[in-house]
Amino acid sequence: MKSLQVSTVVEDPASVDAAIESRFSARAFLPRVVPREQITDILRVASRAASGTNTQPWKVYVLQGESRDSLVQKVCAAHDAVYADPALAAEYREAYDYYPEKWVSPYIDRRRENGWGLYGLLGITKGDKDRMHAQHHRNFKFFDAPVGLMFTLERVMGRGSLVDYGMFLQGIMVAARARGLHTCPQAAWNPFARIILPHIGAGPEELLVCGMALGYADEAERVNSFHTPRVPVEQFTTWLE
């Protein structure tokens, strides 16, 4: 196969486009089992992602069954504890700044549109902190997906490895779509790395990049009708001739 990469013809570009364009953050999954062989195949395909000097910096931990369920219990308990006593949030710090310290337009506008669009669909009104907490809590149940993925990076690596990681994660999500599966990439887990890393057996030299839910989306759940908009190409592209 390696010798054919340069000459391989993608016979159905529409299917490739469909896999990319139908990807969204699913927030409700069926309990249907995802075979280990299928997960392995998805990771194999995604491992073809580009990385600087071929460093391939990703480390993946797949949680199913008891390992998944016990992590859910631990982090859900911690999340509830922080909600009950916000001072405890100081004990849970992200290893890197996923979001900016100060939000500016147009990014804050898109963030707000995303948040209120989702909460509006679910009938959660502004100020309804209990229901907002409950919805956020769903993250820590992997939205009921039977497969949870945790991704780590060795701390010795540079910021560029996070760029590499993004391509790898996109590869997983697109390969999952090609197999009829859906995903939800989750930075929500990051503050709870002190619980997650020992649970998955990651060493002190690793930092948590993010988590991801993987499984078959529940088409009957209203939340999965929420799809975020994208700005037109003309808005983010500058043509130079």
Side-chain angles (χ1 to χ4, degrees):
M1 181 62 187
K2 290 182 180 179
S3 62
L4 298 177
Q5 283 178 308
V6 70
S7 59
T8 296
V9 176
V10 178
E11 296 183 357
D12 186 9
S15 292
V16 177
D17 291 353
I20 296 171
E21 294 181 332
S22 64
R23 185 219 64 80
F24 77 106
S25 294
R27 293 179 173 87
F29 290 84
L30 299 170
R32 181 178 170 186
V33 173
V34 181
R36 180 170 180 169
E37 296 76 16
Q38 195 167 45
I39 300 170
T40 299
D41 203 41
I42 288 170
L43 295 174
R44 177 189 61 79
V45 171
S47 73
R48 291 302 311 171
S51 61
T53 63
N54 199 33
T55 51
Q56 304 175 65
W58 36 81
K59 290 189 175 183
V60 185
Y61 296 85
V62 182
L63 295 103
Q64 296 175 285
E66 176 58 29
S67 65
R68 174 207 172 279
D69 296 346
S70 58
L71 179 63
V72 164
Q73 292 174 3
K74 292 175 184 177
V75 178
C76 280
H79 186 238
D80 279 337
V82 171
Y83 184 61
D85 182 5
L88 292 176
E91 298 181 15
Y92 302 102
R93 300 289 188 183
E94 295 178 321
Y96 69 99
D97 51 346
Y98 185 91
Y99 293 112
E101 290 185 9
K102 181 180 180 180
W103 286 92
V104 298
S105 291
Y107 313 110
I108 185 60
D109 308 309
R110 295 170 187 166
R111 178 182 172 89
R112 287 169 176 163
E113 178 186 36
N114 181 74
W116 294 119
L118 174 61
Y119 289 145
L121 177 68
L122 298 174
I124 302 174
T125 58
K126 187 175 182 179
D128 192 345
K129 295 182 179 180
D130 287 344
R131 292 192 65 193
M132 287 181 183
H133 172 74
Q135 179 58 34
H136 193 222
H137 203 65
R138 296 272 299 144
N139 276 281
F140 309 117
K141 296 180 179 179
F142 292 106
F143 297 107
D144 298 328
V147 181
L149 303 173
M150 288 293 165
F151 303 96
T152 72
L153 175 70
E154 290 201 19
R155 296 176 185 274
V156 70
M157 302 303 288
R159 293 182 184 179
S161 289
L162 291 174
V163 177
D164 302 337
Y165 231 116
M167 292 185 279
F168 174 64
L169 295 173
Q170 176 75 348
I172 291 174
M173 293 184 282
V174 173
R177 287 302 304 121
R179 292 158 177 77
L181 296 158
H182 275 288
T183 56
C184 185
Q186 301 171 278
W189 293 95
N190 292 9
F192 298 101
R194 58 178 290 189
I195 297 173
I196 297 166
L197 295 176
H199 180 89
I200 62 178
E205 73 283 359
E206 297 174 58
L207 66 81
L208 182 66
V209 175
C210 68
M212 183 182 291
L214 170 70
Y216 293 92
D218 188 344
E219 297 180 12
E221 283 290 338
R222 190 178 185 186
V223 69
N224 281 338
S225 68
F226 178 68
H227 298 162
T228 54
R230 293 295 185 271
V231 299
V233 172
E234 294 74 18
Q235 192 169 328
F236 61 78
T237 304
T238 300
W239 297 93
L240 304 171
E241 297 182 357

